[in-house]
Amino acid sequence: MSDREKTQRPRPQMNDQADDKATTVQRSDPPMVPGRGPGGGMAARFEKRRAKDVRGTTSRLATYLGRYWRGLVGTVLMVTLTSVFNVLTPYLLGLAIDDYMVAGQMSGLARMALLMLGAYTGMAITTWLQTFIMVGVSQNSLRDLRNDLFAKLQTLSLRYFDQHTHGELMSRLTNDIENISNILTSTVTQLISSILTIVGVAIMMFVINWRLALVSILVAPATVLVTQAIAKHTRENFRGQQRALGELNSVIEETITGERVVKAYVREEGTIESFEEKNGEYVYYAVRAQILSGFMGPISNMLNNASFAVVAGLGGWFAVKGLATVGTIASFVNYSRQFTRPINEIAQLYNSIQSALAGAERVFEVMDEIPEITDAADAHSLEGVAGRVVFDDVCFSYEPTTPVLKHVSLVAEPGQTIALVGPTGAGKTTVINLMMRFYDVDSGSIRIDGRDIRDLKMDELRRHLGIVLQDNFLFGDSVLANIRYGRMEATDEEVYEAARLANADTFIHRLPYGYNTVLTERGSNLSQGQRQLLAIARTILANPDILILDEATSNVDTRTERHLQDALLRLMAGRTSFVIAHRLSTIREADKVLVINYGEVIEEGTHESLLAAGGFYHDLYYSQFRGKSAVLAQAGH
């Protein structure tokens, strides 16, 4: 298609916000509710989900615990002592009955009572110690896991965040980690204790009476089979529950952040419907998971009570026949409870473990993600930047089938100001994203002072680039800290000087606590112009060699714009600058204007030469002028 053909297309309005990249949220599983969507709804979708590597996930969690092996050794020691005391008390009870109570030896009975009291006291102390030690181990391990996950998120490319909702990622950092916390804090010690108790009790039962021991342990295989049958499905539902919770968090996060828009467009009912849909999906999985896991307790209790009844009845018959003493039966009744209780506990723990492993898998999915953009093995630093920027036949697309930039070439000499203009969606902001190396080009190259930016260290590259956006992000911290974000080692006086150069010092002093005033989330307690001035001050403090202004003055009134323009002129002095602006009047003094449409540079020149050419830029410029004149005429000016 020729350049002239492109100019014949309907001209988009130029008063929209500059954002040429439509972010599409992609999920590995599209949201559905029962009875909706292809394949019969959620149940059909659920069948497609398969459990992942349980052994591998467990092994990776174990590596975090292994960093604190001394605490684990201490925990195992305390759990072992607890189990010994637990197994010892029924044996002492049997001895007390047979050797002292039947014989009427009160002194011996008193000694046995003291021994049992000592065993129970020791068990209480070791139980507390094992919990105390394990809490430290688990929380330190979770701190490391949480730190590693957050650090991993910092390495991922922007495309990853384009494809995953904020709520989903927050859910992995909070809810999934919390599920892991639940099993590490208590389940590990319970599991070890239950296993040791089962082994110890089984040994003691066989030592006392092997016939009754055989009867007692018959319940174990049945409980294991039931557990495996139920757990086969619970873990898949727990994974679905965690995923649905992440999507529910996304709706909450987006709605709270965009509450002004919701109210402005009277979309409260639609928002409620969306929330109810996601909430229903979460409930669907949660109910399935809880119902299936709820079978564990009743079935295990039924098997345990059946075993207890058989042991009591058979033991009574043995006592009548003289095959066992009363003390032996008393011990066995206690051992029978002790043997079945940990089996029941393990069955219950299995459900918690399934939920935690589902969360751990989601955490490790993020940690296994390979960053799309990384430093090359031989990446080098960028020093002594003159500021010559070259785009050489650059092609790029966010999605393979939709090209955004097509063979874009441009040259910015040191100190020049390059203006990028064009309709919304033309590709202007993409040029900036590629220069910052938020994304890598599909073909062609971008060079700074003759060096391909893919051969540079990313932190070095971005340290030499300063960017002021249309809507800059401010943190919930003091004004001083927000400006200092541009260069963390800067002194207070350097921050003050940057604010003065940005024309921000005056309004900062009018704030309740001046530079120590704490901003609300995203700086919502400041006006748009004030937020922009702070962003400019932050960039001045960073002192970049190459400056990028992406619609830096588009959201402010004309008077505020003049203050911003003064600050920006100071900031641009002596620097290579790239300016994106819809208000074409703001880029008249640019050394070069590049007109981008449908991802291609269709015109290039100065403001005056492009107007004289009578092409696409000419039409854009005078369409804005005519629009402004019409507004003034309607206002009676």
Side-chain angles (χ1 to χ4, degrees):
M1 183 180 293
S2 67
D3 292 347
R4 188 61 187 166
E5 287 174 321
K6 290 175 184 174
T7 62
Q8 299 300 320
R9 294 192 179 191
R11 293 187 295 272
Q13 294 299 313
M14 296 297 294
N15 57 354
D16 295 326
Q17 293 183 355
D19 185 7
D20 54 29
K21 175 180 162 295
T23 300
T24 301
V25 177
Q26 300 175 344
R27 297 180 177 87
S28 57
D29 299 292
M32 301 171 68
V33 294
R36 300 185 186 179
M42 193 179 305
R45 168 179 153 198
F46 165 74
E47 292 300 327
K48 297 178 182 179
R49 299 184 65 86
R50 293 292 182 268
K52 296 188 178 181
D53 184 12
V54 178
R55 182 177 300 177
T57 302
T58 304
S59 176
R60 293 179 70 171
L61 282 177
T63 60
Y64 281 90
L65 288 172
R67 299 177 185 178
Y68 304 95
W69 62 270
R70 291 183 179 85
L72 284 177
V73 170
T75 300
V76 171
L77 178 60
M78 292 300 104
V79 171
T80 302
L81 289 174
T82 302
S83 300
V84 169
F85 289 133
N86 197 24
V87 171
L88 182 61
T89 50
Y91 178 72
L92 294 176
L93 176 62
L95 289 180
I97 293 173
D98 288 342
D99 294 351
Y100 302 107
M101 187 179 295
V102 175
Q105 297 183 16
M106 299 307 295
S107 59
L109 185 61
R111 287 196 301 272
M112 294 304 296
L114 288 174
L115 283 175
M116 292 177 65
L117 178 61
Y120 284 123
T121 303
M123 185 165 60
I125 294 172
T126 53
T127 299
W128 179 82
L129 286 173
Q130 74 188 35
T131 302
F132 176 80
I133 298 171
M134 193 60 201
V135 165
V137 171
S138 62
Q139 291 305 314
N140 284 324
S141 301
L142 288 167
R143 177 198 59 200
D144 295 346
L145 181 60
R146 196 179 290 111
N147 286 343
D148 288 350
L149 176 59
F150 188 80
K152 179 66 177 186
L153 287 172
Q154 307 312 304
T155 70
L156 296 177
S157 308
L158 283 184
R159 195 186 300 272
Y160 182 83
F161 295 95
D162 294 339
Q163 296 173 343
H164 295 79
T165 63
H166 296 171
E168 178 191 350
L169 296 177
M170 289 171 59
S171 181
R172 300 193 189 207
L173 265 167
T174 54
N175 298 320
D176 292 337
I177 295 287
E178 185 60 27
N179 275 345
I180 300 171
S181 172
N182 292 335
I183 67 161
L184 293 187
T185 302
S186 58
T187 303
V188 171
T189 54
Q190 274 188 282
L191 192 60
I192 297 173
S193 176
S194 296
I195 293 172
L196 291 177
T197 299
I198 290 172
V199 173
V201 167
I203 292 173
M204 292 300 295
M205 286 195 300
F206 274 99
V207 168
I208 295 173
N209 190 307
W210 65 270
R211 295 180 183 86
L212 287 176
L214 287 175
V215 174
S216 297
I217 65 174
L218 286 177
V219 71
T223 303
V224 171
L225 291 174
V226 170
T227 300
Q228 288 180 340
I230 296 176
K232 180 180 179 180
H233 303 287
T234 54
R235 183 165 173 268
E236 294 173 340
N237 281 283
F238 277 124
R239 280 183 57 81
Q241 179 182 339
Q242 291 302 104
R243 181 200 50 74
L245 182 59
E247 293 182 357
L248 186 64
N249 285 338
S250 294
V251 173
I252 296 171
E253 190 265 341
E254 289 175 356
T255 303
I256 292 175
T257 303
E259 192 63 39
R260 290 175 182 268
V261 177
V262 172
K263 293 185 181 301
Y265 288 90
V266 196
R267 289 293 299 155
E268 289 90 345
E269 290 187 7
T271 301
I272 292 171
E273 289 176 2
S274 177
F275 179 84
E276 288 177 348
E277 179 179 324
K278 295 299 181 186
N279 199 19
E281 183 179 356
Y282 171 76
V283 170
Y284 172 82
Y285 281 112
V287 168
R288 286 173 63 92
Q290 296 303 322
I291 287 177
L292 286 172
S293 62
F295 288 147
M296 290 287 196
I299 293 175
S300 297
N301 285 332
M302 180 190 69
L303 293 172
N304 295 341
N305 290 330
S307 172
F308 177 77
V310 171
V311 169
L314 189 59
W317 185 79
F318 281 177
V320 171
K321 294 296 184 179
L323 298 175
T325 64
V326 175
T328 298
I329 303 305
S331 297
F332 246 94
V333 169
N334 278 274
Y335 279 133
S336 177
R337 285 295 191 191
Q338 286 193 6
F339 185 75
T340 55
R341 188 185 68 249
I343 294 176
N344 193 24
E345 287 176 352
I346 291 176
Q348 296 293 335
L349 292 175
Y350 202 87
N351 293 318
S352 300
I353 292 171
Q354 295 306 304
S355 177
L357 287 178
E361 284 180 348
R362 284 163 48 84
V363 169
F364 290 132
E365 280 175 4
V366 178
M367 296 178 68
D368 290 339
E369 192 73 27
I370 299 174
E372 180 183 353
I373 300 175
T374 57
D375 285 335
D378 57 348
H380 50 268
S381 300
L382 180 64
E383 298 178 358
V385 176
R388 188 174 192 269
V389 180
V390 176
F391 277 63
D392 186 4
D393 196 32
V394 169
C395 295
F396 176 76
S397 58
Y398 293 105
E399 301 296 335
T401 57
T402 310
V404 177
L405 294 183
K406 310 167 190 175
H407 306 287
V408 171
S409 295
L410 65 89
V411 177
E413 299 296 343
Q416 280 191 334
T417 296
I418 308 297
L420 304 175
V421 302
T424 298
K428 305 182 298 298
T429 298
T430 298
V431 171
I432 304 307
N433 287 338
L434 295 177
M435 193 186 311
M436 295 291 295
R437 211 183 166 206
F438 293 150
Y439 305 86
D440 271 341
V441 300
D442 295 337
S443 63
S445 64
I446 302 173
R447 298 188 296 276
I448 294 179
D449 294 346
R451 289 168 284 188
D452 193 313
I453 63 173
R454 289 170 293 189
D455 297 329
L456 303 173
K457 295 179 180 178
M458 280 188 291
D459 57 346
E460 289 285 335
L461 168 67
R462 292 166 184 168
R463 193 170 289 122
H464 290 277
L465 299 175
I467 186 167
V468 180
L469 300 171
Q470 179 181 5
D471 185 15
N472 288 278
F473 191 92
L474 296 177
F475 298 92
D477 205 338
S478 68
V479 171
L480 187 74
N482 270 281
I483 298 176
R484 183 176 275 132
Y485 202 79
R487 182 160 53 89
M488 297 302 294
E489 67 275 13
T491 64
D492 288 355
E493 188 53 46
E494 288 174 322
V495 172
Y496 303 150
E497 180 61 23
R500 284 191 286 269
L501 291 174
N503 286 339
D505 184 70
T506 302
F507 91 79
I508 292 174
H509 280 297
R510 291 199 299 266
L511 296 175
Y513 301 100
Y515 283 86
N516 293 319
T517 301
V518 176
L519 303 181
T520 55
E521 185 179 3
R522 302 181 69 91
S524 59
N525 54 338
L526 298 179
S527 70
Q528 178 68 31
Q530 290 171 333
R531 291 197 293 271
Q532 291 295 84
L533 289 174
L534 290 187
I536 293 171
R538 178 192 291 172
T539 306
I540 289 175
L541 187 65
N543 193 29
D545 297 295
I546 298 172
L547 184 63
I548 299 169
L549 305 176
D550 189 354
E551 293 293 335
T553 65
S554 63
N555 287 339
V556 297
D557 58 76
T558 305
R559 181 179 180 183
T560 304
E561 184 181 5
R562 285 198 294 269
H563 289 286
L564 290 174
Q565 289 286 10
D566 291 341
L568 290 173
L569 288 174
R570 295 191 188 99
L571 182 59
M572 296 165 64
R575 293 181 171 90
T576 304
S577 302
F578 290 81
V579 180
I580 295 176
H582 277 314
R583 295 180 185 175
L584 302 186
S585 59
T586 63
I587 45 93
R588 292 178 180 176
E589 305 303 321
D591 297 292
K592 188 185 299 183
V593 178
L594 300 177
V595 183
I596 302 177
N597 195 26
Y598 295 105
E600 299 180 78
V601 177
I602 60 173
E603 293 179 354
E604 180 178 342
T606 63
H607 172 72
E608 290 78 11
S609 67
L610 291 176
L611 285 181
F616 192 77
Y617 182 82
H618 172 276
D619 293 344
L620 286 176
Y621 183 81
Y622 282 104
S623 68
Q624 284 192 6
F625 180 77
R626 286 193 295 270
K628 182 177 181 181
S629 299
V631 171
L632 291 175
Q634 290 178 1
H637 292 282

